[in-house]
Amino acid sequence: KKFDYNLIIEVAGLQTLQEKIQNGYFDVTITISNIQTEIVSSLKIFEERPVLISKGDINLKDIQKMTWIVYDKDDYLFKNYKNHSKNIIEVNSVTSIVKMVKEGLGVAIVAGHIISPTDKVTQNTVKGLNKENIYINMPNFKKQPLYIERLKSVVSKNIN
């Protein structure tokens, strides 16, 4: 059955997404956070493995000498390496990050599932980059709106 809906997608950092779902600005977020509060609950939808990408082979011992292309201040590069690069490019688009790495402008850590076989990048294994769960986070309504019930149903069917 067809139904009407209005969908707005906003890409933001983890902290912003968590704040906005908790404060009622969003009906749904997709994050690495398993939120279980009186206000919001999460449902695991899949696992992802972050990978360090570069244009070609690199020596990971020299990572702090390379230009880092990051999404925000909570990027995996900052979390995994205590010695940070002096050359950092912050880009709020994962596809742009991959394109910049393909052009040889630096290195980045992204979710492995976004790298396609046609992307000409090298995926580097990094200790400490473990699989992470991805969750859909939704407010705890007494009665879920129909559009959230339908979304939840579609997601549940595809993860089981």
Side-chain angles (χ1 to χ4, degrees):
K1 183 178 175 184
K2 187 177 176 180
F3 63 98
D4 295 329
Y5 59 89
N6 183 13
L7 178 66
I8 300 170
I9 297 175
E10 182 174 326
V11 178
L14 178 61
Q15 186 174 354
T16 300
L17 293 173
Q18 287 175 325
E19 288 172 4
K20 287 190 172 187
I21 190 78
Q22 294 277 12
N23 292 318
Y25 293 105
F26 292 151
D27 292 330
V28 174
T29 60
I30 298 175
T31 69
I32 59 172
S33 297
N34 181 5
I35 304 170
Q36 302 296 335
T37 67
E38 289 183 23
I39 300 169
V40 176
S41 293
S42 301
L43 173 67
K44 178 183 168 187
I45 53 177
F46 64 91
E47 282 184 342
E48 73 175 9
R49 177 176 292 283
V51 294
L52 188 140
I53 59 172
S54 58
K55 183 171 181 173
D57 293 333
I58 60 170
N59 183 344
L60 291 174
K61 292 178 184 175
D62 295 330
I63 193 86
Q64 70 275 6
K65 296 177 186 173
M66 300 173 195
T67 299
W68 291 4
I69 305 171
V70 302
Y71 186 84
D72 62 17
K73 63 180 174 49
D74 294 322
D75 196 271
Y76 289 109
L77 282 165
F78 296 124
K79 292 177 183 177
N80 274 28
Y81 296 98
K82 62 181 177 184
N83 296 323
H84 297 172
S85 173
K86 292 181 181 167
N87 301 307
I88 296 170
I89 302 170
E90 188 172 316
V91 182
N92 66 353
S93 163
V94 177
T95 54
S96 294
I97 289 172
V98 174
K99 287 179 184 178
M100 293 174 78
V101 170
K102 285 168 51 172
E103 293 297 319
L105 299 176
V107 298
I109 297 178
V110 297
H113 70 269
I114 67 160
I115 304 300
S116 75
T118 59
D119 288 327
K120 303 283 190 239
V121 296
T122 301
Q123 295 186 39
N124 303 273
T125 303
V126 176
K127 288 181 185 177
L129 284 181
N130 300 316
K131 286 184 182 178
E132 290 190 327
N133 295 325
I134 304 300
Y135 299 91
I136 186 167
N137 310 297
M138 299 167 281
N140 293 325
F141 292 103
K142 286 184 180 179
K143 180 172 177 12
Q144 291 278 355
L146 185 57
Y147 64 93
I148 290 181
E149 282 297 325
R150 288 182 175 162
L151 176 63
K152 202 168 155 183
S153 173
V154 168
V155 169
S156 295
K157 285 178 187 174
N158 289 316
I159 60 173
N160 295 326

